[in-house]
Amino acid sequence: MRTIVLKEEAQSSKSTIFCGEGAFEKELPRFLAGYPQKLIFTDSNVERLWGARIREVLGDVPVFVMPAGEEHKTEETLFSLLKAMAEQQLHRTSCLVMIGGGVVGDIGGLAAALYMRGIACFQVPTTLLAQVDSSVGGKTAIDFLGIKNLVGAFNQPEAVFADPCFLSTLPPREVRCGLGEMVKHGALSEELFETLLARRNELAALDVPADLIADNIAFKASVVAQDAKESGLRKSLNLGHTTAHALELAQKTRSHGECVLLGTIFEAELARRHEKCDDGYLHELVSLCKEVLGGIPALPPAKEWTPLALLDKKNTERGTVVVTAPVARGTYRLIALPFAEYAREAEEIQARLC
């Protein structure tokens, strides 16, 4: 098992991340022993697949189950959870244990930040995406007014338990979803990118080695430690995400990770047009994205999804779209484009790709 300590440079607090077999069954109970009251927060998919095992490991702990799915990442679910926490009479010495994917972690982390102005929380990510990305770094949020992650807070969990046992029940689409974020990390780290290229056949076969998961967690933790509140370096983790979020909003049948892979392809092509780039590197990156995707899927017309890029939180001016684009190994640029230019070029890129 690998242990990673995430300590923010400007803060005294730290978050410990356990990666590997036994993280859930051995390490989590040890951490929870010091809390007199606990509430488990999970979703209906995890409860169906893992509920019995969770009770075997953690005993008779109250459980609040939300309906599974991004469409339930709402204020209604948040306040239902807060109500359950109050009904269980949790106090500041209590803790919330989030067992699930990114939606569970986002809502649970926000609820823990709000309840009594903050109680301890622990994350047990059960999807590949949550293990390598959303459980690390303390970002929490709900979607509001049709906009992703509009209401949220930064709230680091006390500890994260990334156990590969949960990945055994993931469908292929969810594995591909997590691979999208792993490829994004590779685009930002020269060393990690070379590792991904060397193991591309495993990734294309949706076979994800445990050591590669730990490497991705360590990379993201290193970025967050330097810039927890996304004022500088952490913005790099938005690579590919402006276009990804627009595609995700327009085509709800695509997973977040699949859209990140597509967004990375589109924004790499935008980088070619607006920055001095390493063309060989971009070719390798785009090829890797396509392999993991299994090819470019059918997309809605660009005129339908490009306006949704205007809603992205990374934009700094009205009518401007900002993308975090790869330009060379381990190097990115923030590119600000007038919306008309972004929409025209995205349409041209899509016509060539599809």
Side-chain angles (χ1 to χ4, degrees), residues 42-43 46 98-107 123-131 134-135 174:
T42 190
D43 69 22
V46 175
M98 295 97 74
I99 306 179
V103 172
V104 167
D106 277 3
I107 299 173
Q123 283 222 45
V124 183
T126 60
T127 65
L128 181 60
L129 175 64
Q131 291 195 3
S134 63
S135 68
E174 284 298 325

Side-chain angles (χ1 to χ4, degrees), residues 292-331:
V292 173
L293 271 171
I296 301 296
L299 299 175
K303 63 183 179 181
E304 293 182 10
W305 62 261
T306 50
L308 297 171
L310 289 168
L311 301 174
D312 199 273
K313 65 180 184 296
K314 295 180 288 298
N315 298 335
T316 54
E317 295 180 17
R318 185 179 178 88
T320 299
V321 176
V322 177
V323 301
T324 307
V327 294
R329 277 173 166 75
T331 306

Side-chain angles (χ1 to χ4, degrees), residues 66-123:
M66 67 166 284
E70 176 82 22
E71 65 272 21
H72 299 291
K73 189 176 159 181
T74 62
E75 66 270 29
E76 289 84 6
T77 304
L78 172 65
F79 278 92
S80 294
L81 173 57
L82 288 168
K83 181 181 178 183
M85 294 164 75
E87 289 175 344
Q88 290 296 324
Q89 299 181 18
L90 299 190
H91 294 281
R92 284 186 172 174
T93 57
S94 307
C95 71
L96 183 66
V97 184
M98 295 97 74
I99 306 179
V103 172
V104 167
D106 277 3
I107 299 173
L110 182 55
L114 293 171
Y115 189 79
M116 291 191 173
R117 298 194 178 102
I119 66 169
C121 64
F122 296 90
Q123 283 222 45

Side-chain angles (χ1 to χ4, degrees), residues 105-106 123 134 136-141 153-155 230 234 238 313:
D106 277 3
Q123 283 222 45
S134 63
V136 181
K139 277 188 176 181
T140 74
F154 289 96
N155 182 30
E230 204 173 30
R234 190 170 181 176
N238 291 317
K313 65 180 184 296

Side-chain angles (χ1 to χ4, degrees), residues 18-233:
F18 297 93
C19 316
E21 293 183 8
F24 170 61
E25 295 187 358
K26 297 178 181 178
E27 297 297 335
L28 179 59
R30 182 170 65 85
F31 269 75
L32 296 184
Y35 291 88
Q37 289 176 287
K38 302 168 276 285
L39 177 66
I40 295 170
F41 174 47
T42 190
D43 69 22
S44 53
N45 284 340
V46 175
E47 168 64 18
R48 174 174 53 85
L49 294 167
W50 291 96
R53 187 63 184 144
I54 290 169
R55 284 183 282 276
E56 285 178 14
V57 173
L58 299 182
D60 189 24
V61 178
V63 179
F64 179 79
V65 181
M66 67 166 284
E70 176 82 22
E71 65 272 21
H72 299 291
K73 189 176 159 181
T74 62
E75 66 270 29
E76 289 84 6
T77 304
L78 172 65
F79 278 92
S80 294
L81 173 57
L82 288 168
K83 181 181 178 183
M85 294 164 75
E87 289 175 344
Q88 290 296 324
Q89 299 181 18
L90 299 190
H91 294 281
R92 284 186 172 174
T93 57
S94 307
C95 71
L96 183 66
V97 184
M98 295 97 74
I99 306 179
V103 172
V104 167
D106 277 3
I107 299 173
L110 182 55
L114 293 171
Y115 189 79
M116 291 191 173
R117 298 194 178 102
I119 66 169
C121 64
F122 296 90
Q123 283 222 45
V124 183
T126 60
T127 65
L128 181 60
L129 175 64
Q131 291 195 3
V132 301
D133 186 62
S134 63
S135 68
V136 181
K139 277 188 176 181
T140 74
I142 58 168
D143 301 339
F144 188 59
L145 300 178
I147 302 173
K148 283 181 64 67
N149 302 325
L150 185 63
V151 177
F154 289 96
N155 182 30
Q156 294 285 0
E158 297 291 316
V160 177
F161 306 87
D163 197 314
C165 72
F166 291 105
L167 306 184
S168 63
T169 55
L170 288 185
R173 181 171 180 259
E174 284 298 325
V175 177
R176 190 171 284 113
C177 183
L179 287 173
E181 293 291 348
M182 293 174 68
V183 172
K184 177 200 74 177
H185 290 160
L188 297 168
S189 164
E190 185 171 1
E191 180 181 358
L192 195 52
F193 186 66
E194 294 300 329
T195 302
L196 292 175
L197 288 179
R199 306 179 81 163
R200 64 196 305 164
N201 291 337
E202 292 172 85
L203 301 183
L206 305 184
D207 179 14
V208 188
D211 64 317
L212 200 50
I213 295 173
D215 288 345
N216 273 265
I217 292 172
F219 170 76
K220 177 157 187 194
S222 71
V223 173
V224 173
Q226 298 174 70
D227 178 25
K229 298 296 178 66
E230 204 173 30
S231 59
L233 178 63

